[in-house]
Amino acid sequence: MTIKSYPFLLWLDQSLAYVRSEDELTEMCHYAGPDEGICIYSDGRYLTRSGQAVTPLPADALTRLVQQTLVQEGQCCVSKLSECSVEDAFKLLEDIR
């Protein structure tokens, strides 16, 4: 794995997770293959777990993933969440776990 900086958002299996450490990443990717999952960094970079750049999600797609993750975690009123930036996603998902 070439991941060298934390935190980041992990997009895996159509959901997002806030990853703070290598231990958390290992736990979250236990059953995932080495080519599965996209790391989203607060500066807007989207990288595979092996470090290759990928095309960023459009804001509406990122917003839907954030909404889905919040609903899965028991949050309500997610429909009020409008277009979400990477920075917004970090703020919303940082405290969930």
Side-chain angles (χ1 to χ4, degrees):
M1 227 176 288
T2 62
I3 296 168
K4 296 180 179 151
S5 65
Y6 294 87
F8 60 85
L9 299 178
L10 178 64
W11 174 24
L12 182 65
D13 295 331
Q14 296 304 313
S15 64
L16 290 174
Y18 189 93
V19 181
R20 294 171 183 81
S21 68
E22 187 173 349
D23 289 340
E24 285 186 5
L25 178 62
T26 300
E27 179 183 322
M28 290 175 195
C29 294
H30 184 71
Y31 296 107
D35 296 327
E36 293 180 71
I38 303 294
C39 304
I40 305 171
Y41 289 90
S42 60
D43 63 3
R45 290 178 298 140
Y46 282 63
L47 304 173
T48 63
R49 288 176 38 215
S50 61
Q52 295 179 313
V54 294
T55 304
L57 287 171
D60 61 327
L62 179 60
T63 301
R64 283 192 302 274
L65 280 172
V66 170
Q67 288 173 325
Q68 178 181 330
T69 301
L70 291 171
V71 166
Q72 289 171 344
E73 295 298 326
Q75 302 294 316
C76 61
C77 301
V78 297
S79 62
K80 294 179 181 179
L81 180 62
S82 61
E83 213 168 273
C84 181
S85 68
V86 170
E87 182 181 339
D88 296 332
F90 267 81
K91 288 177 186 174
L92 289 164
L93 300 177
E94 182 176 19
D95 296 327
I96 293 179
R97 182 87 199 244

